PDB file of all heavy atoms in Angstrom:
ATOM      1  N   GLY S  60      73.389 100.339  99.276  1.00 33.00           N
ATOM      2  CA  GLY S  60      72.337 100.773  98.362  1.00 33.00           C
ATOM      3  C   GLY S  60      71.796 102.150  98.635  1.00 33.00           C
ATOM      4  O   GLY S  60      70.905 102.621  97.950  1.00 33.00           O
ATOM      5  N   ALA S  61      72.340 102.843  99.621  1.00 34.00           N
ATOM      6  CA  ALA S  61      71.825 104.173  99.952  1.00 34.00           C
ATOM      7  C   ALA S  61      72.969 105.167  99.915  1.00 34.00           C
ATOM      8  O   ALA S  61      74.134 104.821 100.040  1.00 34.00           O
ATOM      9  CB  ALA S  61      71.180 104.172 101.342  1.00 34.00           C
ATOM     10  N   THR S  62      72.647 106.428  99.755  1.00 38.00           N
ATOM     11  CA  THR S  62      73.656 107.481  99.759  1.00 38.00           C
ATOM     12  C   THR S  62      73.478 108.324 101.005  1.00 38.00           C
ATOM     13  O   THR S  62      72.381 108.766 101.303  1.00 38.00           O
ATOM     14  CB  THR S  62      73.510 108.377  98.514  1.00 38.00           C
ATOM     15  OG1 THR S  62      73.661 107.561  97.350  1.00 38.00           O
ATOM     16  CG2 THR S  62      74.568 109.457  98.511  1.00 38.00           C
ATOM     17  N   SER S  63      74.566 108.523 101.735  1.00 56.00           N
ATOM     18  CA  SER S  63      74.486 109.305 102.967  1.00 56.00           C
ATOM     19  C   SER S  63      75.601 110.322 102.963  1.00 56.00           C
ATOM     20  O   SER S  63      76.728 110.033 102.559  1.00 56.00           O
ATOM     21  CB  SER S  63      74.613 108.392 104.194  1.00 56.00           C
ATOM     22  OG  SER S  63      75.821 107.678 104.157  1.00 56.00           O
ATOM     23  N   THR S  64      75.299 111.513 103.404  1.00 78.00           N
ATOM     24  CA  THR S  64      76.308 112.549 103.497  1.00 78.00           C
ATOM     25  C   THR S  64      77.124 112.326 104.754  1.00 78.00           C
ATOM     26  O   THR S  64      76.573 112.152 105.845  1.00 78.00           O
ATOM     27  CB  THR S  64      75.650 113.936 103.535  1.00 78.00           C
ATOM     28  OG1 THR S  64      74.878 114.101 102.345  1.00 78.00           O
ATOM     29  CG2 THR S  64      76.707 115.029 103.614  1.00 78.00           C
ATOM     30  N   LEU S  65      78.432 112.328 104.603  1.00 83.00           N
ATOM     31  CA  LEU S  65      79.333 112.058 105.716  1.00 83.00           C
ATOM     32  C   LEU S  65      80.064 113.332 106.101  1.00 83.00           C
ATOM     33  O   LEU S  65      80.147 114.278 105.320  1.00 83.00           O
ATOM     34  CB  LEU S  65      80.333 110.983 105.308  1.00 83.00           C
ATOM     35  CG  LEU S  65      79.732 109.611 104.976  1.00 83.00           C
ATOM     36  CD1 LEU S  65      80.820 108.683 104.441  1.00 83.00           C
ATOM     37  CD2 LEU S  65      79.064 109.004 106.189  1.00 83.00           C
ATOM     38  N   PRO S  66      80.632 113.358 107.313  1.00 92.00           N
ATOM     39  CA  PRO S  66      81.381 114.549 107.723  1.00 92.00           C
ATOM     40  C   PRO S  66      82.569 114.791 106.797  1.00 92.00           C
ATOM     41  O   PRO S  66      83.105 113.872 106.181  1.00 92.00           O
ATOM     42  CB  PRO S  66      81.863 114.187 109.134  1.00 92.00           C
ATOM     43  CG  PRO S  66      80.919 113.130 109.605  1.00 92.00           C
ATOM     44  CD  PRO S  66      80.544 112.351 108.380  1.00 92.00           C
ATOM     45  N   GLN S  67      82.958 116.041 106.707  1.00 94.00           N
ATOM     46  CA  GLN S  67      84.138 116.396 105.931  1.00 94.00           C
ATOM     47  C   GLN S  67      85.389 115.838 106.592  1.00 94.00           C
ATOM     48  O   GLN S  67      85.489 115.804 107.820  1.00 94.00           O
ATOM     49  CB  GLN S  67      84.258 117.912 105.826  1.00 94.00           C
ATOM     50  CG  GLN S  67      83.143 118.569 105.040  1.00 94.00           C
ATOM     51  CD  GLN S  67      83.362 120.064 104.901  1.00 94.00           C
ATOM     52  OE1 GLN S  67      84.410 120.583 105.271  1.00 94.00           O
ATOM     53  NE2 GLN S  67      82.372 120.759 104.377  1.00 94.00           N
ATOM     54  N   VAL S  68      86.346 115.411 105.788  1.00 97.00           N
ATOM     55  CA  VAL S  68      87.648 114.985 106.296  1.00 97.00           C
ATOM     56  C   VAL S  68      88.588 116.179 106.162  1.00 97.00           C
ATOM     57  O   VAL S  68      88.949 116.559 105.048  1.00 97.00           O
ATOM     58  CB  VAL S  68      88.195 113.781 105.510  1.00 97.00           C
ATOM     59  CG1 VAL S  68      89.576 113.393 106.030  1.00 97.00           C
ATOM     60  CG2 VAL S  68      87.233 112.600 105.610  1.00 97.00           C
ATOM     61  N   PRO S  69      88.986 116.790 107.253  1.00 98.00           N
ATOM     62  CA  PRO S  69      89.863 117.963 107.174  1.00 98.00           C
ATOM     63  C   PRO S  69      91.283 117.556 106.787  1.00 98.00           C
ATOM     64  O   PRO S  69      91.645 116.371 106.807  1.00 98.00           O
ATOM     65  CB  PRO S  69      89.820 118.543 108.584  1.00 98.00           C
ATOM     66  CG  PRO S  69      89.463 117.393 109.456  1.00 98.00           C
ATOM     67  CD  PRO S  69      88.614 116.475 108.636  1.00 98.00           C
ATOM     68  N   THR S  70      92.084 118.530 106.444  1.00 98.00           N
ATOM     69  CA  THR S  70      93.489 118.296 106.129  1.00 98.00           C
ATOM     70  C   THR S  70      94.371 118.987 107.160  1.00 98.00           C
ATOM     71  O   THR S  70      93.937 119.909 107.855  1.00 98.00           O
ATOM     72  CB  THR S  70      93.852 118.815 104.726  1.00 98.00           C
ATOM     73  OG1 THR S  70      93.605 120.225 104.669  1.00 98.00           O
ATOM     74  CG2 THR S  70      93.043 118.111 103.654  1.00 98.00           C
ATOM     75  N   SER S  71      95.596 118.509 107.263  1.00 98.00           N
ATOM     76  CA  SER S  71      96.602 119.114 108.135  1.00 98.00           C
ATOM     77  C   SER S  71      97.825 119.468 107.317  1.00 98.00           C
ATOM     78  O   SER S  71      98.163 118.780 106.344  1.00 98.00           O
ATOM     79  CB  SER S  71      97.014 118.146 109.251  1.00 98.00           C
ATOM     80  OG  SER S  71      95.991 117.971 110.197  1.00 98.00           O
ATOM     81  N   LYS S  72      98.498 120.519 107.714  1.00 98.00           N
ATOM     82  CA  LYS S  72      99.722 120.940 107.052  1.00 98.00           C
ATOM     83  C   LYS S  72     100.879 120.070 107.530  1.00 98.00           C
ATOM     84  O   LYS S  72     101.174 119.997 108.724  1.00 98.00           O
ATOM     85  CB  LYS S  72     100.001 122.404 107.380  1.00 98.00           C
ATOM     86  CG  LYS S  72     101.145 123.013 106.597  1.00 98.00           C
ATOM     87  CD  LYS S  72     100.725 123.381 105.195  1.00 98.00           C
ATOM     88  CE  LYS S  72     101.770 124.252 104.515  1.00 98.00           C
ATOM     89  NZ  LYS S  72     101.463 124.501 103.098  1.00 98.00           N
ATOM     90  N   VAL S  73     101.511 119.381 106.596  1.00 98.00           N
ATOM     91  CA  VAL S  73     102.722 118.606 106.870  1.00 98.00           C
ATOM     92  C   VAL S  73     103.749 119.032 105.827  1.00 98.00           C
ATOM     93  O   VAL S  73     103.660 118.645 104.662  1.00 98.00           O
ATOM     94  CB  VAL S  73     102.461 117.088 106.793  1.00 98.00           C
ATOM     95  CG1 VAL S  73     103.766 116.313 107.033  1.00 98.00           C
ATOM     96  CG2 VAL S  73     101.405 116.661 107.804  1.00 98.00           C
ATOM     97  N   GLY S  74     104.675 119.862 106.240  1.00 98.00           N
ATOM     98  CA  GLY S  74     105.592 120.442 105.272  1.00 98.00           C
ATOM     99  C   GLY S  74     104.809 121.278 104.275  1.00 98.00           C
ATOM    100  O   GLY S  74     104.020 122.145 104.643  1.00 98.00           O
TER     101      GLY S  74
END
Side-chain angles (χ1 to χ4, degrees):
T62 301
S63 58
T64 301
L65 297 174
Q67 294 183 8
V68 178
T70 60
S71 289
K72 188 79 168 173
V73 178

